[in-house]
């Protein structure tokens, strides 16, 4: 019978199910084994019980009825003795009784000639007068054991027969349940897989039948069906993708201008693309050995790589095709299996155009060397001119700032000097009045005291304003010297910043705003004080010119502290701030928001260059609209000689 017929019969008839029949056979064998075992145990227990009953019956005769028979014999009540044993013979498991004395024999039943159980017990009589026990006879008992054996055997076979019938019925019912719940559903899965076609896009999903009462709503076979649907769906997707990739690879192979080839273990071509086949005029039904084909065109390096049977790449060869020398680069993967080398799969790329361009490029490079040198010299000259222009612009910016500072300080100094001139004129007039009154001898003590008081007040005013002018000139001088000089000097940070703020008072009072300098006193730096004052001065002027147009209570805060061997300097104002989109441009040269209104766009660029290049520090910037700006500097407290040399070189 063919496998298809067995498959169809197994679906229809549960007895044709190989798994079902094997399970049925195993269940019958196991059930038969345990049935025989339990029946034997039950028969053994019945055997013990039956013989225990016989023993108990004999025990009853020995210990109960023997005394009564002995009493009847003692008083020679022979009729009572016979009646008693006739009654005892009717007891179960008592088939023959005999009472023997010296002169008498009493019997009940018939002696047995089959398998039997025999016991003989003495008859004793206890004389109440003398208190002595005398033996007056025996009682003999026979019980038929053959009947017990026959009964046990009969019950054993009846139990086996009933259990066998029960087992067959239960096994058949289990086989039916197994057939409906397992076999048919497994056959359904197998039938679905047999008819499964991965290219059929309308393939129906596997659905298993359900029987009420004997199946769960969702059991393991339903899980199997769900997983089968997933696997078949994935297989369909994978198969379609493979077919698509195969079709795509075939199209690429046919349209590719490169050579695609494959060999077996003997280096015989098993596949090559159309461009390669046409180049060598190969017969697609009979490919030659690749090494023999290449030896005819002189590709010795390629042949050596093939004979080594290892992966290779960048194997450049010249192949003559139709009378023209073509440049190719070959590479291949060597495939090895359990049985050793299996062949190559490789490509050949036509690089003739690339080689031609390479040759032309080499020729062009020789001609371009002089042109490049000439352009390089011109570029260096332009860079030197640009650097000089940049230095000139920076110096112009510094001088412009210094000129503004001079004008402001001159205006600031005029006020105390004017007051001093006025005070000196008052003193001169009072002195003239005092001398005239003294010469005319009209000077009174009251007039003298009044004039002296006016002189003292004028002297105090004169001294105060002269000191104020001196202080302004000293701060201006220190600031101007710092801004012009770039010599390394040891200076006190707070004193330098305080002097700078004082010198900038003519500009800051226009807002008005008073920069607040906060920091530890006696922090000494060995650096370029002019550069630091130039940085802070540019930041203050930048705030004055751009930050406080719409600010009610302008503030400028300059804070500094020592952080190890560096100075941390933070400049902050509460002005209009800068949009985030402009943060990357504020340090660009010539960028200003007040083009044509006095802004040069070099202030913050100068700050950036001075901090990074001359002070060897780092700069960070934070700002948001309406929240002012914040510049944070970390500057070495002691400027190294290398940075100093770099600063001097830039200045030169």
């Amino acid at each position: 019978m063919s496998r298809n017929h067995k498959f169809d019969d197994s679906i229809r008839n549960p007895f044709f199910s190989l798994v079902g029949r094997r399970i049925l056979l195993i269940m019958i064998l196991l059930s038969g084994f345990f049935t025989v075992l339990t029946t034997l145990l039950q028969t053994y227990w019945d055997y013990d019980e039956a013989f225990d009953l016989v023993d108990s019956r004999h025990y009853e005769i020995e210990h109960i009825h023997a005394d009564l028979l002995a009493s009847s014999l003692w008083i020679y009540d022979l009729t009572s003795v016979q009646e008693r044993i006739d009654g005892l013979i009717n007891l179960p498991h008592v088939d023959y009784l005999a009472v023997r004395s010296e002169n008498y024999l009493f019997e009940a039943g018939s002696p047995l000639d089959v398998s039997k159980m025999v016991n003989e017990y003495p008859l004793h009589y206890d004389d109440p007068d003398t208190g002595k026990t005398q033996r007056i006879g025996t009682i003999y008992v026979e019980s038929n054991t053959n009947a017990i054996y026959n009964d046990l055997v009969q019950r054993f076979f009846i139990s086996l027969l009933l259990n066998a019938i029960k087992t067959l019925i239960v096994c058949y019912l289990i086989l039916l349940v197994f057939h409906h719940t397992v076999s048919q559903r497994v056959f359904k899965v197998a039938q679905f897989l047999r008819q499964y076609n991965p290219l059929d896009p309308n393939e129906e999903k596997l659905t298993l039948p359900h029987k009420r009462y004997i199946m769960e709503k969702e059991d393991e076979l339903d899980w199997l069906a769900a997983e089968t649907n997933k696997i078949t769906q994935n297989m369909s997707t994978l198969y379609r993708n493979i077919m698509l990739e195969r079709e795509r690879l075939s199209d690429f192979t046919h349209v590719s201008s490169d050579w695609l080839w494959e060999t077996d273990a003997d280096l015989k071509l098993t596949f090559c693309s159309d461009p390669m086949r046409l180049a060598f005029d190969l017969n697609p039904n009979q490919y030659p050995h690749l090494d023999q084909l290449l030896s005819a065109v002189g590709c010795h390096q390629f042949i050596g790589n093939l004979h080594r049977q290892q992966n290779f790449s960048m194997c450049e060869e010249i192949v003559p095709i139709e009378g023209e020398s073509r440049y190719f680069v070959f590479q291949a993967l060597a495939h090895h299996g359990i049985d050793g080398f299996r062949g190559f799969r490789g490509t050949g790329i036509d690089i003739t155009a690339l080689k031609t361009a390479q040759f032309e490029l080499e020729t062009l490079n020789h001609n371009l060397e002089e042109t490049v040198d000439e352009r390089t010299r011109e570029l260096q000259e332009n860079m030197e001119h640009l650097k000089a222009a940049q230095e000139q612009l920076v110096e112009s910016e510094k001088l412009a700032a210094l000129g503004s500072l001079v004008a402001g300080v001159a205006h600031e100094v005029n006020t105390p000097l004017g007051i001093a001139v006025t005070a000196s004129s008052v003193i001169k007039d009072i002195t003239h009045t005092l001398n005239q009154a003294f010469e005319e001898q009209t000077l009174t003590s009251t007039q003298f005291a009044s004039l002296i008081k006016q002189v003292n007040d004028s002297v105090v005013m004169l001294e105060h304003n002269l000191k104020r002018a001196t202080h302004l000139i000293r701060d201006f001088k220190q600031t101007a010297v710092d801004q012009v000089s770039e010599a390394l000097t040891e200076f006190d940070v707070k004193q330098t910043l305080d002097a700078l703020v004082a010198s900038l008072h003519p500009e800051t009072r226009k807002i008005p705003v008073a920069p607040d300098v906060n920091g530890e006193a006696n922090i000494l730096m060995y650096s370029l004080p002019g550069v630091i004052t130039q940085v802070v001065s540019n930041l203050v002027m930048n705030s004055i010119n751009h930050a406080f147009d719409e600010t009610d209570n302008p503030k400028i805060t300059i804070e500094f502290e020592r952080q190890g061997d560096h100075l941390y300097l933070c400049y902050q104002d509460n002005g209009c701030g800068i949009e985030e989109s402009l943060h990357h441009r504020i340090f660009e040269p010539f960028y200003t928001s007040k083009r044509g209104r006095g802004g040069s766009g070099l202030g913050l660029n100068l700050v950036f260059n001075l901090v990074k290049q001359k002070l060897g520090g780092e700069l960070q910037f934070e700002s948001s609209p309406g929240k002012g700006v914040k510049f944070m500097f970390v500057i070495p407290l002691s400027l190294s000689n290398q940075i100093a040399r770099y600063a001097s070189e830039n200045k030169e």
Side-chain angles (χ1 to χ4, degrees):
M1 184 180 294
S2 65
R3 180 175 295 180
N4 291 333
H5 289 117
K6 291 182 178 179
F7 185 82
D8 295 335
D9 292 338
S10 298
I11 295 177
R12 294 191 299 269
N13 194 331
F15 288 102
F16 283 94
S17 172
L18 299 179
V19 178
R21 286 190 301 183
R22 179 55 57 90
I23 293 175
L24 180 62
L25 177 61
I26 293 173
M27 290 183 62
I28 290 175
L29 292 176
L30 292 176
S31 179
F33 171 75
F34 286 108
T35 298
V36 172
L37 180 62
T38 55
T39 305
L40 287 175
L41 290 175
Q42 184 64 42
T43 303
Y44 174 75
W45 292 331
D46 291 342
Y47 172 84
D48 285 345
E49 184 179 3
F51 278 90
D52 287 342
L53 289 176
V54 174
D55 287 338
S56 64
R57 191 64 64 196
H58 288 195
Y59 180 84
E60 179 184 351
I61 292 173
E62 178 186 5
H63 291 86
I64 297 176
H65 299 289
D67 292 339
L68 297 176
L69 292 173
S71 298
S72 298
L73 280 176
W74 180 259
I75 62 175
Y76 294 99
D77 189 358
L78 302 180
T79 304
S80 176
V81 172
Q82 187 63 46
E83 289 178 353
R84 287 183 181 279
I85 63 174
D86 289 339
L88 291 175
I89 200 66
N90 295 322
L91 294 175
H93 304 295
V94 178
D95 297 296
Y96 175 72
L97 277 175
V99 177
R100 296 185 179 89
S101 65
E102 294 180 356
N103 300 318
Y104 303 100
L105 174 62
F106 302 93
E107 294 181 318
S110 301
L112 301 174
D113 55 0
V114 295
S115 177
K116 57 187 176 181
M117 183 177 179
V118 178
N119 281 306
E120 186 174 3
Y121 309 108
L123 295 176
H124 295 92
Y125 178 74
D126 296 329
D127 189 353
D129 297 331
T130 60
K132 294 181 179 180
T133 301
Q134 297 183 10
R135 180 173 179 173
I136 60 175
T138 60
I139 181 171
Y140 176 80
V141 184
E142 290 184 359
S143 297
N144 188 354
T145 58
N146 191 44
I148 296 175
Y149 292 142
N150 292 334
D151 181 62
L152 290 176
V153 170
Q154 182 181 5
R155 291 165 63 183
F156 174 77
F157 284 107
I158 291 174
S159 178
L160 278 181
L161 179 61
L162 292 176
N163 282 306
I165 295 173
K166 179 187 69 175
T167 300
L168 290 175
I169 294 173
V170 171
C171 289
Y172 176 72
L173 294 176
I174 292 176
L175 179 62
L176 289 178
V177 173
F178 178 81
H179 179 70
H180 288 290
T181 58
V182 179
S183 296
Q184 284 189 340
R185 301 169 80 194
V186 171
F187 293 146
K188 186 75 173 177
V189 174
Q191 197 173 33
F192 173 79
L193 294 176
R194 175 178 291 183
Q195 299 173 355
Y196 166 68
N197 181 9
L199 293 179
D200 185 5
N202 298 320
E203 182 73 36
E204 294 183 358
K205 291 186 178 181
L206 173 63
T207 304
L208 298 182
H210 279 78
K211 298 285 186 181
R212 185 178 295 182
Y213 305 121
I214 63 174
M215 296 182 188
E216 293 287 345
K217 292 183 178 179
E218 184 176 353
D219 54 17
E220 289 82 353
L221 291 180
D222 290 317
W223 301 345
L224 175 62
E227 294 301 322
T228 301
N229 287 327
K230 290 181 182 178
I231 292 174
T232 53
Q233 185 177 1
N234 293 337
M235 284 291 294
S236 298
T237 303
L238 178 62
Y239 192 80
R240 286 192 290 269
N241 290 338
I242 290 174
M243 294 301 295
L244 179 61
E245 292 297 330
R246 182 177 179 182
E247 181 180 357
R248 183 183 293 120
L249 180 61
S250 177
D251 292 340
F252 286 159
T253 302
H254 285 88
V255 302
S256 175
S257 60
D258 299 332
W259 293 358
L260 306 177
W261 50 272
E262 182 182 27
T263 70
D264 57 13
D266 297 328
L267 300 181
K268 183 179 180 181
L269 281 173
T270 57
F271 168 80
C272 69
S273 59
D274 289 343
M276 183 176 179
R277 181 176 57 82
L278 295 175
F280 290 105
D281 194 18
L282 300 178
N283 185 357
N285 298 323
Q286 187 176 2
Y287 286 131
H289 286 78
L290 183 58
D291 53 349
Q292 298 175 1
L293 180 65
L294 295 174
S295 63
V297 295
C299 298
H300 302 293
Q301 182 182 356
F302 191 4
I303 296 173
N305 287 328
L306 292 176
H307 288 164
R308 280 192 290 270
Q309 298 181 353
Q310 297 295 330
N311 297 343
F312 64 89
S313 62
M314 303 305 294
C315 176
E316 186 174 329
E317 294 284 2
I318 300 176
V319 181
I321 300 176
E322 297 179 354
E324 181 184 358
S325 296
R326 309 288 294 180
Y327 291 87
F328 279 84
V329 171
F330 294 96
Q331 61 184 7
L333 295 177
H335 291 271
H336 296 269
I338 300 176
D339 52 350
F341 177 66
R342 297 170 56 184
F344 282 103
R345 289 194 184 100
T347 62
I349 303 175
D350 188 351
I351 61 169
T352 304
L354 182 61
K355 293 295 290 186
T356 302
Q358 180 182 354
F359 296 147
E360 294 176 354
L361 182 61
E362 290 176 356
T363 303
L364 183 61
N365 285 337
H366 289 294
N367 298 328
L368 286 178
E369 287 181 357
E370 295 182 359
T371 305
V372 171
D373 292 339
E374 183 179 355
R375 292 289 186 267
T376 302
R377 287 193 297 271
E378 292 178 359
L379 181 60
Q380 289 178 348
E381 292 176 359
N382 292 334
M383 289 296 294
E384 291 176 358
H385 292 324
L386 181 61
K387 184 176 180 181
Q390 183 180 8
E391 291 291 335
Q392 185 176 2
L393 286 173
V394 171
E395 291 299 326
S396 298
E397 180 71 16
K398 292 170 62 176
L399 292 175
L402 184 60
S404 176
L405 181 63
V406 169
V409 169
H411 179 74
E412 188 74 14
V413 170
N414 280 335
T415 299
L417 289 181
I419 296 175
V421 171
T422 302
S424 64
S425 299
V426 171
I427 293 174
K428 183 178 179 181
D429 292 340
I430 294 174
T431 303
H432 177 73
T433 303
L434 183 63
N435 288 330
Q436 184 178 3
F438 180 76
E439 291 176 355
E440 294 175 357
Q441 295 182 354
T442 59
L443 180 65
T444 64
S445 59
T446 302
Q447 183 183 11
F448 178 78
S450 175
L451 292 175
I452 291 299
K453 183 177 182 303
Q454 293 180 13
V455 169
N456 289 334
D457 291 341
S458 298
V459 169
V460 170
M461 182 182 299
L462 177 63
E463 181 181 9
H464 174 73
N465 284 277
L466 289 177
K467 287 183 178 180
R468 180 182 174 190
T470 302
H471 180 72
L472 288 173
I473 293 173
R474 185 186 68 229
D475 289 344
F476 164 72
K477 179 180 178 181
Q478 179 63 39
T479 302
V481 169
D482 287 343
Q483 291 190 5
V484 174
S485 174
E486 291 188 0
L488 281 172
T489 308
E490 186 177 54
F491 59 94
D492 186 290
V493 176
K494 185 168 179 58
Q495 289 180 0
T496 301
L497 294 179
D498 287 340
L500 173 65
V501 170
S503 65
L504 292 175
H505 180 68
E507 298 295 333
T508 57
R509 71 178 184 179
K510 296 176 182 179
I511 298 301
V513 60
D516 187 12
V517 179
N518 298 319
E520 181 183 351
N522 301 323
I523 296 180
L524 300 180
M525 289 185 68
Y526 184 73
S527 185
L528 302 172
V531 175
I532 293 179
T533 56
Q534 184 68 43
V535 168
V536 178
S537 175
N538 281 18
L539 294 178
V540 172
M541 295 306 298
N542 185 71
S543 297
I544 291 173
N545 294 330
H546 300 282
F548 300 126
D549 292 343
E550 299 179 359
T551 304
D552 295 333
N553 186 21
K555 292 182 180 179
I556 295 177
T557 303
I558 303 172
E559 298 177 342
F560 61 92
E561 64 179 11
R562 183 196 300 270
Q563 291 185 353
D565 56 354
H566 286 76
L567 176 72
Y568 171 76
L569 178 65
C570 177
Y571 177 90
Q572 188 172 3
D573 67 32
N574 64 340
C576 59
I578 301 175
E579 296 181 1
E580 186 175 357
S581 60
L582 300 177
H583 285 189
H584 66 288
R585 299 197 60 191
I586 63 171
F587 295 111
E588 293 180 1
F590 307 111
Y591 174 75
T592 178
S593 61
K594 291 191 175 182
R595 181 73 63 195
R597 291 180 290 169
S600 65
L602 291 174
L604 292 181
N605 176 256
L606 181 62
V607 169
F608 181 85
N609 291 330
L610 291 177
V611 171
K612 298 287 286 188
Q613 297 178 8
K614 292 196 174 184
L615 296 178
E618 298 294 333
L619 180 150
Q620 291 184 356
F621 169 73
E622 295 179 1
S623 180
S624 58
K627 296 185 179 180
V629 296
K630 184 177 183 181
F631 295 87
M632 294 160 285
F633 307 93
V634 178
I635 306 170
L637 288 173
S638 178
L639 196 61
S640 65
N641 293 330
Q642 181 178 1
I643 298 177
R645 285 197 300 270
Y646 178 75
S648 300
E649 291 173 359
N650 286 341
K651 180 180 179 182
E652 294 175 359

